[in-house]
Amino acid sequence: AAAGGAYQPASPAPFVAPSLDSARGDIPASELDSPLPTGRTDASDTIRIPEGFTQTDFEEGLLAALSISQQQQQQPEQGAPHPPGFEHQSSVQEAPLDAADVFRHCMSGSVDEVRRFLEQGGYADTVYKSAYGWDVGPDWLFTKPNDGTTVLNYVATWTDVIGERAAELVALLLAHGADMQRDDGLDQWFTPLHNAVANGARDVIEVLLQSQPQAVNLPTGDGRRPLHVLALCDDPEDRMASLALLLRHRADLTFAEPFEGNTPLHVMAREGHSEVVIRLLEAGAPADARNEKGHTALDEANHELQIAEQEGDAATATRQSKLSETVMIMEIAVLAN
């Protein structure tokens, strides 16, 4: 082997081999486990060539035997026991990564499993396909991802189900290169930040904005920015906490979405989120900005209040109360200016 496959005598002594029946009988015990004795320096250690073989034939035969033995050592015999841990390591490395599993692990908040998926080469922007299935039991079928959504967007969408582990999952995915600008594949093309804001997931919002502060003004497919979709958050406390984060990262208060021309103040006013309206006005939101209908935010609130009063049923009683308060606040603000 040291000679690169070419025979080189260890000494000028003649090469003498033993008979085939006792070919290994003259080999020192220290080399019995070797397919071919190597490194000999003592001329007394000899091998006799069997009768009927020339020296060249015997040398070629020994080299061929050495080649076969090396191949057998490199390729263990089928059925031979593996070293401890070999089988497990091999199966982990060779088993295909299941894209559906990473979504299920996210839903259950299994940070360690998602980390293992990523460390084994799983793609941080893996998208869900209906062909993957959703084997989570009947109680959780409603959490099935929609086709085309990324892992990051899935976590941002289901923060209420995932719970406190959602922020940790988001940080993990971002650390492995997940793209915050990939939308969720639905008609309105929400990014992860839009979905987190709509859910009022303040801890997730904070992780996302720490990673990419400029994402505070990313648009959806229909042109709305995160501050516009904050109106979708149902919990007043979460809504205000999310608003504080967006304002801290300098969300644009003057931007009007392109379809109806509504600023964030328009949207909040017509939803009756009076506490948000107050904060936006304090932050400098333009109360005199007009949308495509020529309405100010106060006009929008009054219009929605009239509709609620006309319907007059129990379902709109709460909305009517919220809108009345919002109109009063905005009228005071207009008079003050």
Side-chain angles (χ1 to χ4, degrees):
Y7 172 69
Q8 294 181 348
S11 70
F15 186 88
V16 181
S19 65
L20 287 178
D21 293 337
S22 59
R24 300 179 66 89
D26 294 338
I27 300 175
S30 61
E31 294 185 7
L32 284 177
D33 292 333
S34 174
L36 180 66
T38 59
R40 294 179 181 272
T41 57
D42 187 352
S44 65
D45 291 334
T46 60
I47 299 178
R48 297 188 301 274
I49 300 176
E51 295 181 3
F53 285 82
T54 66
Q55 179 171 326
T56 301
D57 291 338
F58 189 65
E59 292 171 3
E60 290 176 352
L62 288 176
L63 292 173
L66 173 61
S67 175
I68 293 172
S69 177
Q70 289 175 335
Q71 292 177 6
Q72 291 175 342
Q73 289 178 350
Q74 293 172 0
Q75 299 177 356
E77 185 177 346
Q78 186 174 4
H82 295 301
F86 177 88
E87 184 173 356
H88 170 71
Q89 293 174 0
S90 176
S91 63
V92 169
Q93 293 174 356
E94 295 177 2
L97 297 173
D98 190 339
D101 280 346
V102 69
F103 287 91
R104 289 192 286 266
H105 292 322
C106 284
M107 190 270 284
S108 61
S110 301
V111 177
D112 290 341
E113 290 298 325
V114 176
R115 181 180 292 108
R116 188 170 67 87
F117 171 84
L118 295 169
E119 290 176 350
Q120 290 183 21
Y123 186 37
D125 280 322
T126 295
V127 297
Y128 183 82
K129 298 179 182 179
S130 57
Y132 294 158
W134 193 239
D135 186 15
V136 295
D139 294 339
W140 300 101
L141 287 178
F142 68 93
T143 63
K144 180 180 179 180
N146 56 281
D147 278 16
T149 193
T150 63
V151 183
L152 181 59
N153 231 321
Y154 178 77
V155 174
T157 301
W158 292 102
T159 54
D160 54 336
V161 172
I162 298 170
E164 59 184 14
R165 292 296 184 91
E168 191 175 349
L169 286 169
V170 167
L172 177 63
L173 291 166
L174 290 174
H176 282 78
D179 188 353
M180 283 181 56
Q181 298 191 41
R182 294 282 295 271
D183 64 71
D184 59 6
L186 295 176
D187 292 341
Q188 296 175 336
W189 303 294
F190 275 27
T191 69
L193 182 58
H194 287 93
N195 277 313
V197 169
N199 287 330
R202 63 184 85 173
D203 49 350
V204 172
I205 295 171
E206 186 168 12
V207 172
L208 291 169
L209 289 179
Q210 284 178 349
S211 175
Q212 292 186 28
Q214 67 274 18
V216 72
N217 289 317
L218 278 177
T220 60
D222 60 1
R224 288 180 291 169
R225 295 186 176 181
L227 197 51
H228 288 89
V229 303
L230 181 60
L232 299 176
C233 177
D234 294 328
D235 186 274
E237 184 178 345
D238 289 339
R239 190 163 56 235
M240 290 302 293
S242 301
L243 174 63
L245 289 169
L246 296 174
L247 293 179
R248 185 191 309 166
H249 286 83
R250 300 182 180 181
D252 190 348
L253 302 179
T254 65
F255 178 78
E257 47 83 12
F259 287 91
E260 296 182 357
N262 290 316
T263 67
L265 187 61
H266 282 93
V267 176
M268 298 301 173
R270 73 181 185 184
E271 291 298 325
H273 295 323
S274 57
E275 72 286 357
V276 178
V277 167
I278 294 173
R279 185 67 188 91
L280 289 176
L281 290 172
E282 291 174 347
D288 57 349
R290 297 183 179 275
N291 60 17
E292 293 295 323
K293 295 184 293 186
H295 290 177
T296 65
L298 175 57
D299 295 335
E300 285 292 319
N302 269 315
H303 178 68
E304 293 296 323
L305 177 58
Q306 292 173 5
I307 294 175
E309 289 174 342
Q310 290 173 1
E311 293 176 353
D313 53 20
T316 60
T318 301
R319 178 172 172 78
Q320 182 177 337
S321 175
K322 291 172 59 178
L323 286 166
S324 296
E325 183 179 356
T326 302
V327 167
M328 180 182 66
I329 290 171
M330 296 199 70
E331 286 176 342
I332 294 174
V334 170
L335 290 174
N337 292 331

